[in-house]
Amino acid sequence: MAQQADVFKKLVAHCKEYGFVFQSSEIYDGLAAAYDYGQYGVELKNNIKKYWWDSMVLLHENVVGLDSAIFMHPTVWKASGHVDAFNDPLIDNKDSKKRYRADVLIEDLIQKIEGKIEKEVTKAKKRFGDAFDEAQFKETNPGVLANKKKIEVIHSRFAKALNDNDLEELRQIIIDYEIACPISGTKNWTDVRQFNLMFSTEIGSTADGAQTIYLRPETAQGIFVNYLNVQKSGRMKLPFGIAQIGKAFRNEIVARQFIFRMREFEQMEMQFFVRPGEDQKWFEYWKEKRMLWHKALGMGDDSYRFHDHDKLAHYANAATDIEFKMPFGFKEVEGIHSRTDFDLSSHQEYSGKKLQYFDPELNKNYVPYVIETSIGVDRMFLSVLAGAYNEEEIEGKDGKKDTRIVLNLPPVLAPVKLAVLPLVKKDGLPELARSIVNTLKFDFNCQYDEKDSIGKRYRRQDAIGTPYCITIDHQSLEDNTVTIRYRDTMKQDRVKIEELHGIIADKVNLREVLKKVV
Ligand code: ATP
């Protein structure tokens, strides 16, 4: 675990050093939980968004896009339940004065015990070698069984407390299991209180006329209030979906894990409107589709898992998360929720406007049910970087050991697709390199670099995840060939200049990944 924490620290430092992510307002010592994306960060982020958008809107003829305003009528948030119920349970440690989410403290405890089980398994695997039967070991080993039981007991108390909104019981679990503050090390806790996560501000110029409005904590409500506009103007038939990418804001109690938990972040959400009674079927459909979308990036199927919710949000009748194996454990990246007709019915009631759909097959009007897929762009960004970051031992100069830091990013997401590098800054090599850039730049994000030794230039490209380096040497002038170096294997091939476009397009073209998710 210590090693993993170390990796996370290095990743954060790497993001800054190589222009992926900067602390917001850094020259003023920063603003907590707000971040800016640098020159490579913005490219990676845009590539993630395009992958999501195209997989939703291009691949599904019944899913269309929307871009709704961040500011909305305040009653939207009353109707959606956010004014009354968008709360997190908070608890303070009296000694460190640090604030925590009570539910996260308990989830972390469960994860710690899961970690102990995994440790036992790894130890036994080593001891028994090939003869090891993991399933049997987990069913019979007394240490594992005791820890499993412990998790079961905590879990059932925890789920009940959340569902009953029993804040005292949440505190009691923290006390009973002696959870200590990671900063002060003490168990001196306050009571647990509810804390509303919405930011508010005022709209209007005069003191009398000003109205309190909220910064949206999710993009979904912009979709719900436009559902009929889109359905009518697009002549959409059920089932159909509306997809949107946009900023959301939450005054998170604890925001300490870099871009995992921010106060301003970006969401990619899709609301899929279905016939009542068909919600379970579509929930399963989107669960599978979304998992496929993640796995198609080729970052390792073992890095993902589903996690069903213990406590359903006020609007949901089924919910699951897709979790990614971050350096600090499996964490939610995406939520898939069956939201029933809660939102549309509630908006219908508060606005007094009918939000029904006339179903020509059933010959009747009803309020559709909704399946939502909701993924954070920033969390996705973090998961991709965490999965891609590697420190490799390689053979350096004179056979000495060396390390290279490489981002093994899926080529479709890489900020720069190829670097074009003249071996030397003379003899016409830069000119040829520039002419290659000028041909390829219309299709791929290319970078020209002539500074420093070729080895140093390769390392710089490895560090930002560029999948291909094209080197121009003297032979290139004679026979129009160049070397192409592959980031992951560091192998090099000599290829014709006119073949470059085809070779690169094959690997970085979004089409190839999209084909895996239809
Ligand atoms: P968590 O339990 O981690 O607070 P959540 O269940 O409240 O998350 P949802 O309301 O389901 O999250 O939001 C959908 C997605 O939006 C999440 O899966 C996550 O990727 C992203 N997201 C939510 N809150 C944040 C945040 N504070 N910073 C970055 N991304 C976020």
Side-chain angles (χ1 to χ4, degrees):
M1 213 54 192
Q3 241 180 349
Q4 287 296 310
D6 212 32
V7 170
F8 187 52
K9 256 196 206 151
K10 286 184 184 170
L11 180 64
V12 175
H14 189 85
C15 279
K16 180 176 173 190
E17 189 181 346
Y18 285 92
F20 281 88
V21 183
F22 307 123
Q23 173 76 65
S24 159
S25 325
E26 197 188 73
I27 58 168
Y28 293 100
D29 295 333
L31 180 71
Y35 291 89
D36 301 335
Y37 286 83
Q39 64 276 28
Y40 297 123
V42 67
E43 297 290 343
L44 173 54
K45 208 175 174 208
N46 283 341
N47 293 340
I48 290 172
K49 289 195 267 188
K50 182 156 174 53
Y51 175 38
W52 183 86
W53 187 265
D54 287 359
S55 74
M56 285 292 175
V57 177
L58 282 192
L59 299 189
H60 297 94
E61 57 182 272
N62 60 349
V63 177
V64 293
L66 178 78
D67 185 11
S68 70
I70 289 173
F71 290 161
M72 298 177 80
H73 194 286
T75 312
V76 166
W77 304 108
K78 192 74 195 148
S80 68
H82 283 81
V83 171
D84 298 318
F86 195 54
N87 302 318
D88 274 343
L90 71 86
I91 189 165
D92 295 280
N93 181 270
K94 290 182 194 165
D95 300 317
S96 67
K97 309 273 183 271
K98 287 279 177 204
R99 183 159 283 183
Y100 297 91
R101 263 173 66 176
D103 54 334
V104 172
L105 285 178
I106 299 169
E107 279 169 4
D108 286 350
L109 170 71
I110 293 175
Q111 200 160 45
K112 223 162 131 185
I113 306 172
E114 280 172 351
K116 281 186 185 164
I117 297 178
E118 283 314 307
K119 243 190 191 156
E120 291 267 8
V121 172
T122 315
K123 253 184 11 202
K125 229 183 227 165
K126 266 197 195 143
R127 199 162 5 115
F128 295 113
D130 287 346
F132 184 60
D133 179 342
E134 184 170 330
Q136 195 197 1
F137 181 78
K138 281 185 170 166
E139 291 303 317
T140 53
N141 179 274
V144 170
L145 288 178
N147 276 325
K148 269 174 134 177
K149 181 79 201 152
K150 198 167 170 186
I151 291 175
E152 236 176 77
V153 174
I154 301 172
H155 193 265
S156 76
R157 273 181 77 181
F158 178 48
K160 184 164 179 345
L162 286 178
N163 282 311
D164 297 350
N165 247 330
D166 187 345
L167 302 183
E168 269 176 39
E169 171 66 354
L170 279 182
R171 181 173 190 275
Q172 201 53 48
I173 298 173
I174 291 171
I175 302 295
D176 289 351
Y177 287 92
E178 301 188 334
I179 298 177
C181 164
I183 308 287
S184 66
T186 70
K187 296 153 202 155
N188 195 7
W189 297 107
T190 62
D191 286 341
V192 177
R193 283 158 295 147
Q194 291 288 23
F195 178 77
N196 192 288
L197 301 182
M198 280 201 296
F199 283 103
S200 62
T201 185
E202 302 223 312
I203 199 164
S205 52
T206 62
D208 303 346
Q211 196 179 17
T212 299
I213 56 163
Y214 299 99
L215 295 187
R216 65 181 181 197
E218 60 175 28
T219 63
Q221 298 304 323
I223 296 180
F224 291 126
V225 299
N226 278 296
Y227 137 79
L228 213 52
N229 285 336
V230 174
Q231 191 269 320
K232 291 221 154 112
S233 59
R235 292 177 293 117
M236 306 299 290
K237 283 207 169 65
L238 244 56
F240 74 91
I242 304 178
Q244 163 155 251
I245 299 178
K247 288 270 183 160
F249 306 83
R250 295 182 189 179
N251 196 5
E252 296 281 0
I253 300 169
V254 186
R256 287 186 204 129
Q257 270 161 331
F258 191 39
I259 54 172
F260 181 78
R261 193 172 296 288
M262 301 155 88
R263 297 204 168 102
E264 173 184 339
F265 57 100
E266 210 166 355
Q267 289 185 313
M268 307 188 280
E269 297 198 297
M270 196 277 304
Q271 310 294 325
F272 198 69
F273 301 91
V274 304
R275 245 185 216 167
E278 293 188 354
D279 38 320
Q280 194 56 37
K281 176 180 96 182
W282 287 110
F283 177 68
E284 294 302 328
Y285 171 88
W286 282 108
K287 244 178 99 169
E288 295 316 315
K289 270 267 162 207
R290 294 306 303 147
M291 187 56 106
L292 199 61
W293 183 89
H294 286 276
K295 289 186 174 173
L297 287 172
M299 300 191 53
D301 289 3
D302 293 349
S303 302
Y304 305 91
R305 71 178 189 194
F306 284 116
H307 175 250
D308 294 335
H309 283 205
D310 290 322
K311 184 196 177 189
L312 293 174
H314 56 274
Y315 49 74
N317 70 0
T320 194
D321 295 334
I322 293 178
E323 295 186 335
F324 182 82
K325 202 178 195 173
M326 301 276 190
F328 41 90
F330 270 101
K331 294 286 170 192
E332 169 182 347
V333 173
E334 171 156 9
I336 297 144
H337 310 121
S338 175
R339 291 180 80 127
T340 67
D341 61 351
F342 174 85
D343 301 270
L344 289 181
S345 294
S346 190
H347 286 307
Q348 184 168 265
E349 190 187 322
Y350 275 80
S351 68
K353 309 269 168 25
K354 279 220 172 329
L355 293 178
Q356 299 197 340
Y357 172 77
F358 175 72
D359 190 326
E361 279 173 39
L362 300 182
N363 197 25
K364 70 177 202 192
N365 285 303
Y366 53 78
V367 176
Y369 270 43
V370 173
I371 307 302
E372 165 183 83
T373 71
S374 172
I375 170 169
V377 180
D378 314 87
R379 274 199 203 170
M380 180 63 196
F381 183 103
L382 182 60
S383 69
V384 167
L385 273 188
Y389 182 88
N390 277 307
E391 282 177 19
E392 280 178 10
E393 278 217 342
I394 55 165
E395 203 172 293
K397 264 192 188 157
D398 313 323
K400 278 193 198 132
K401 281 220 160 103
D402 200 357
T403 36
R404 74 159 181 159
I405 294 175
V406 55
L407 293 183
N408 298 107
L409 290 169
V412 280
L413 298 185
V416 177
K417 304 301 186 205
L418 73 148
V420 184
L421 319 168
L423 195 59
V424 290
K425 271 192 263 181
K426 54 183 186 182
D427 305 335
L429 301 189
E431 288 75 9
L432 180 56
R434 288 266 183 218
S435 78
I436 293 175
V437 170
N438 285 336
T439 321
L440 297 179
K441 71 181 177 190
F442 295 97
D443 295 309
F444 313 114
N445 191 337
C446 307
Q447 200 168 77
Y448 173 85
D449 189 5
E450 58 176 26
K451 199 167 173 291
D452 298 321
S453 71
I454 195 74
K456 274 195 185 153
R457 282 182 270 168
Y458 285 155
R459 291 299 162 74
R460 275 204 291 271
Q461 295 301 331
D462 288 343
I464 61 167
T466 307
Y468 305 105
C469 285
I470 312 300
T471 307
I472 319 301
D473 54 20
H474 289 94
Q475 191 184 329
S476 310
L477 297 173
E478 287 161 21
D479 63 4
N480 268 329
T481 63
V482 291
T483 58
I484 178 164
R485 171 192 181 264
Y486 306 98
R487 176 197 65 197
D488 298 345
T489 58
M490 293 190 286
K491 289 221 169 81
Q492 303 194 12
D493 284 335
R494 193 139 201 122
V495 299
K496 292 215 167 72
I497 291 175
E498 66 259 29
E499 287 170 356
L500 278 177
H501 190 282
I503 296 171
I504 293 162
D506 234 24
K507 294 286 188 312
V508 306
N509 205 321
L510 192 52
R511 194 191 317 119
E512 296 311 309
V513 186
L514 287 174
K515 274 188 199 157
K516 295 184 193 164
V517 299
V518 281

